[in-house]
């Protein structure tokens, strides 16, 4: 009711009262009625105006403060308040959406750069800043090709226009910093009106794997090429030989023996490759079991005596016995590989030891120690790489494939075991397999044999 009074009723009452007083009394009496009423009415509006101004000046961070009025002001102020509340809610929703977008782009493992239609940076996430060495706000508005200065990048930006649907078809792989750093794959996606998003993915691991694959294929081809060339050469020579000459028969026999040696080398290589690929792919998984270290070591010792053919003094020393858990055939082939190397790289009459012990952490240590040619320290970290050899011709001459230690490494990975290599050129080497405590049981003290 008082809204109506302060709305249109009050001015009408004032006017009627003024007219009435004027009619009954005088004009000056009417003026005395009108003046205070006018002042009160004006004050009423001034108070509301001031309230409105204070409300408008106050830009709230949280909730919008209520805005209430009386009379004509009630409707005006409440409409204003409702509208402002709607705007505030819409703003809050937008702020939340932007926050979520940013959080999302920080979570994904890719770099994200938002570009406008002129390829100028609008926004970028932390990964993009780190990888492209951008400086957040400072680089805003700067053309991205001014900051990523690889020529290939500029060509890619210019030469891959979007199709009718705004999509880009080509990707680019680039090392950043150029030639040396991280391998990054760049994609572009349409975004907003004519803008786009630059997605940057770290593909260093894929690149490394691809490079390893290429190197591996090159190494295998190279390993096979030499024996094949030798075999083909001998075959051609044999073809050109006369049948009846007795001397030719001896030469032919010698050539056949040499060809057989080359073919055996290739066969060993293929066998080792198959073992390695089965180990790497995890296809070949023998059942794990508990087995006695004593029986295991005896068996390996016998094998290596056969390999050495009595040319070395081979001794087995066990400081204790233990039950070991693992793939017995794979572990046996790993230890035999180490022993076969000891035999091949130790001159005749040399001394080879097989040592077994369990350390204070309950780990089993199996060491193959020789008095052979030894290895310079610089080679040690790379010895277990495929086809890595210190002396290629010596390895080949002794029937090596360059894969023995790579096979050992893979067998040990499957057993969570480590390989410790120590060597002094001219004095000998020692290779120790360290089996973790979880695979070792029942340590039985016994006297050294
Ligand atoms: P390979 O078939 O050539 O012996 P491995 O992978 O078994 O290949 O060994 C890699 C290289 O490590 C060998 O070529 C050799 O140079 C070196 N090596 C391995 N074991 C010994 C050892 N006991 N004494 C000296 N050098 C060794």
């Amino acid at each position: 009711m008082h809204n109506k009074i302060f709305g249109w009723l009050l001015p009408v009452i004032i006017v009627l009262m003024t007219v009435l007083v004027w009619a009954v009394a005088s004009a000056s009496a009417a003026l005395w009625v009108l003046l205070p009423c006018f002042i009160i009415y004006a004050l009423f509006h001034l108070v509301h105006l001031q309230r409105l101004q204070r409300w408008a000046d106050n830009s709230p961070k949280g909730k919008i403060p209520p805005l209430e009025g009386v009379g004509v002001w009630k409707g005006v102020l409440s409409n204003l308040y409702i509208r402002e509340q709607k705007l505030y809610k819409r703003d809050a929703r937008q702020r939340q959406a932007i926050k979520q977008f940013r959080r999302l782009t920080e979570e994904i493992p890719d770099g994200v750069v938002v570009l406008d239609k002129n390829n100028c940076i609008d926004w970028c996430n932390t990964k993009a800043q780190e990888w492209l060495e951008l400086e957040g706000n400072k680089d805003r508005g700067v053309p991205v090709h001014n900051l990523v200065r690889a020529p290939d990048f500029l060509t890619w930006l210019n030469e891959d226009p979007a199709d009718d649907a705004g999509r880009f078809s080509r990707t680019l792989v680039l090392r950043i910093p150029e030639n040396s750093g991280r391998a990054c794959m760049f994609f572009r996606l349409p975004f907003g009106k004519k803008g786009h998003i630059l997605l940057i993915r770290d593909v260093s691991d894929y690149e490394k794997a691809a490079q390893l694959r290429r190197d591996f294929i090159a190494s295998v081809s190279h390993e096979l090429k030499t024996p094949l060339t030798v075999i083909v050469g001998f075959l051609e020579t044999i073809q050109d030989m006369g049948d009846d000459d007795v001397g030719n028969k001896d030469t032919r026999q010698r050539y056949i023996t040499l060809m057989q040696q080359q073919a055996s080398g290739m066969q060993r290589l293929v066998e080792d490759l198959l073992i390695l690929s089965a180990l790497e792919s995890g296809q070949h998984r023998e059942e794990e079991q508990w087995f006695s270290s004593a029986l295991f070591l005896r068996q390996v010792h016998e094998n290596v005596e056969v390999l050495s053919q009595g040319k070395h003094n081979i001794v087995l020393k066990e400081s204790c016995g233990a039950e070991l858990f693992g793939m017995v055939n794979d572990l046996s082939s790993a230890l035999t590989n180490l022993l076969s190397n000891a035999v091949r790289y130790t001159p005749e009459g040399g001394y080879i030891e097989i040592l077994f012990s369990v350390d204070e952490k309950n780990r089993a240590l199996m060491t193959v120690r020789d008095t052979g040619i030894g290895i310079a320290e610089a080679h040690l970290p790379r010895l277990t790489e495929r086809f890595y050899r210190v002396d290629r011709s010596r390895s080949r001459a002794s029937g090596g494939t360059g894969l023995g230690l790579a096979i050992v490494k893979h067998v040990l990975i499957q057993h969570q075991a480590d390989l410790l290599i120590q060597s002094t050129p001219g004095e000998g080497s020692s290779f120790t397999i360290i089996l973790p405590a979880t695979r070792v049981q029942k340590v039985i003290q016994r006297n050294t044999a």
Side-chain angles (χ1 to χ4, degrees):
M1 176 64 189
H2 70 284
N3 285 339
K4 256 189 212 157
I5 295 172
F6 284 97
W8 55 269
L9 211 53
L10 194 63
V12 173
I13 293 170
I14 293 169
V15 171
L16 284 176
M17 269 172 56
T18 312
V19 172
L20 195 69
V21 173
W22 197 346
V24 175
S26 62
S28 61
L31 198 64
W32 277 111
V33 172
L34 185 64
L35 200 65
C37 290
F38 178 76
I39 290 171
I40 291 170
Y41 197 62
L43 275 175
F44 165 76
H45 285 296
L46 273 175
V47 165
H48 277 89
L49 265 176
Q50 206 190 15
R51 192 182 287 175
L52 180 62
Q53 191 179 9
R54 236 185 288 133
W55 181 82
D57 285 349
N58 182 13
S59 51
K61 287 234 163 53
K63 258 174 100 181
I64 303 171
L67 184 62
E68 284 165 0
V70 183
V72 280
W73 287 99
K74 182 178 167 74
V76 174
L77 295 188
S78 75
N79 279 344
L80 211 61
Y81 175 68
I82 291 167
R83 192 174 301 175
E84 185 67 13
Q85 238 184 354
K86 274 187 190 155
L87 279 175
Y88 178 79
K89 278 184 188 156
R90 204 178 65 193
D91 250 32
R93 274 200 301 274
Q94 275 175 353
R95 273 200 303 272
Q96 185 63 18
I98 291 172
K99 229 175 167 176
Q100 269 180 349
F101 169 76
R102 292 203 170 157
R103 201 177 310 144
L104 184 86
T105 52
E106 292 303 339
E107 291 295 327
I108 57 171
D110 296 339
V112 181
V113 184
V114 179
L115 298 176
D116 67 12
K117 63 179 192 307
N118 299 318
N119 290 330
C120 295
I121 297 173
D122 206 14
W123 179 82
C124 54
N125 70 351
T126 318
K127 284 237 158 54
Q129 288 181 33
E130 186 192 320
W131 295 349
L132 305 184
E133 294 177 354
L134 304 178
E135 284 182 44
N137 285 336
K138 208 176 134 207
D139 289 334
R140 215 174 158 174
V142 179
V144 67
H145 46 271
N146 285 5
L147 300 165
V148 182
R149 299 201 66 93
D152 286 352
F153 182 72
L154 183 62
T155 315
W156 175 70
L157 273 186
N158 293 333
E159 286 185 1
D160 185 25
D163 64 12
D164 293 341
R167 284 184 302 256
F168 299 90
S169 53
R170 280 170 46 198
T171 55
L172 171 77
V173 177
L174 205 66
R175 287 209 169 262
I176 295 180
E178 238 188 312
N179 301 328
S180 58
R182 182 191 310 273
C184 290
M185 183 178 266
F186 291 80
F187 307 78
R188 272 192 296 174
L189 308 168
F191 184 66
K193 281 186 197 153
K194 294 191 178 166
H196 48 265
I197 288 182
L198 192 64
L199 269 185
I200 310 147
R201 186 157 296 166
D202 183 352
V203 289
S204 306
D205 285 348
Y206 300 112
E207 281 283 294
K208 208 166 145 194
Q211 186 58 44
L212 280 175
R213 215 169 32 240
R214 284 194 290 273
D215 290 352
F216 180 64
I217 292 169
S219 302
V220 174
S221 315
H222 184 75
E223 293 292 328
L224 290 173
K225 203 175 152 202
T226 316
L228 277 173
T229 313
V230 174
I231 291 173
V232 170
F234 282 147
L235 283 173
E236 280 170 1
T237 318
I238 291 172
Q239 230 170 13
D240 294 343
M241 280 177 173
D243 277 344
D244 17 289
D245 191 341
V246 181
N248 275 353
K249 278 187 185 155
D250 292 343
T251 316
R252 192 180 295 136
Q253 194 50 49
R254 198 158 48 85
Y255 285 176
I256 289 173
T257 310
L258 288 169
M259 283 194 292
Q260 266 171 345
Q261 281 171 4
Q262 297 295 333
S264 311
M266 287 198 289
Q267 200 171 13
R268 276 195 305 277
L269 176 66
V270 172
E271 277 163 10
D272 277 0
L273 280 171
L274 287 173
I275 294 174
L276 197 60
S277 111
L279 281 168
E280 280 183 343
S281 67
Q283 289 166 357
H284 149 95
R285 269 195 83 87
E286 188 193 325
E287 191 79 14
E288 294 202 292
Q289 54 178 293
W290 286 101
F291 58 91
S292 147
S293 66
L295 285 176
F296 172 80
L297 293 165
R298 293 279 167 281
Q299 185 65 55
V300 176
H301 188 190
E302 275 171 28
N303 293 348
V304 74
E305 289 286 10
V306 175
L307 283 175
S308 162
Q309 295 174 330
K311 290 178 188 154
H312 304 88
N313 186 7
I314 304 171
V315 181
L316 168 64
K317 290 182 181 171
E318 298 158 272
S319 68
C320 62
E323 289 287 309
L324 306 175
F325 187 69
M327 292 170 259
V328 64
N329 289 329
D330 282 355
L331 282 172
S332 159
S333 104
L335 195 59
T336 308
N337 257 317
L338 296 180
L339 282 160
S340 141
N341 281 350
V343 166
R344 288 190 297 117
Y345 298 108
T346 303
E348 256 187 79
Y351 189 69
I352 297 172
E353 281 178 335
I354 309 166
L355 309 169
F356 181 83
S357 64
V358 174
D359 71 3
E360 67 288 352
K361 291 182 184 158
N362 202 41
R363 298 176 306 177
L365 312 182
M366 291 185 258
T367 301
V368 173
R369 188 182 293 157
D370 64 50
T371 52
I373 57 171
I375 309 156
E377 203 183 337
H379 297 288
L380 298 184
R382 300 195 58 192
L383 282 189
T384 55
E385 285 176 22
R386 293 177 290 195
F387 297 116
Y388 188 85
R389 288 140 156 156
V390 177
D391 180 343
R392 188 169 286 271
S393 50
R394 185 168 193 146
S395 155
R396 282 229 181 90
S398 63
T401 61
L403 294 173
L405 291 180
I407 292 174
V408 171
K409 185 180 90 177
H410 277 282
V411 170
L412 298 194
I413 287 173
Q414 294 195 339
H415 289 84
Q416 304 80 45
D418 291 319
L419 181 66
L420 179 72
I421 310 174
Q422 289 163 315
S423 190
T424 310
E427 287 184 17
S429 314
S430 114
F431 291 74
T432 304
I433 294 175
I434 307 173
L435 263 189
T438 46
R439 294 182 173 274
V440 185
Q441 240 185 35
K442 283 200 223 162
V443 181
I444 307 151
Q445 285 299 336
R446 59 157 81 162
N447 294 330
T448 308

